Amino acid sequence: VPLEEVALPLYFGWFLLPAVQEKIRCTSMDFLKTLDTLEAFKKHLIDFTGKPDQEVDLEQYYKSTGMLHCTTQFCNYGKVEGSKEYAQNPAVQNAYGSVFELSLTALFVTPRTVGARVDLTEEQLLLWPADAEKEAESVVPAAASLPRGSRAHVTLGCAEGVEPVQTGFDLLQILALQKDGQQGEPLEMELGSLIYYSEGRWMLTLREPISVPACFSSFYA
Ligand code: 2AM
């Protein structure tokens, strides 16, 4: 195998610093615990269970997917088209190893995934692949019409048998429904306002975005 192909990682992204990993995991668990006890959520439990009157323990429902991060470019060790160009982009090379403040603006769940929406700054968007939203089009047809950076997120957990790539698709789907004006009454909660988007999709827009320090780097496994 040529050396330059080996050098490309599984993915590039921002990795939450160890000190905040635990804090965000707790925030996520608190959110799931609260959601689980809401009457509004219980009313739509069938979205998760497929059967009426069946309970679900959201804290057990999602499995952790390792170190918390926000993927920018998925490279699959160079198998993904455009990953070499991404790695060679001067903006990427200059930022490599630097710490950024990521702003988490919403938490969302679906029967497949739980995640946090990341609102990228102009500077952070320089590290965002040009086609990240368009690439999701085969799964979420409206994705390409959403603003750049819409797919940015931190996967907080996945249901049994679900791959983490699903989290970004779930987020784009919710944002597409939001754009269409398809939303019910928001439920005002301590952390922010919660909206149900049908089919088990819930998004809590945070009253106060959570700012987390994260190192721009890459992951090889
Ligand atoms: P995630 O960013 O939603 O968590 C390793 O699998 C990492 O790369 C995970 O973080 C995963 O999803 C992300 N990933 C996997 N396949 C991907 C793809 N096709 N496009 C973008 N990100 C992907």
Side-chain angles (χ1 to χ4, degrees), residues 10-11 65 69-71 74 135 151 153 155 164-168:
L10 181 59
Y11 61 89
T65 52
H69 67 276
C70 173
T71 304
F74 181 67
E135 250 179 20
R151 191 176 170 181
H153 67 279
T155 297
V165 66
Q166 183 64 43
T167 318

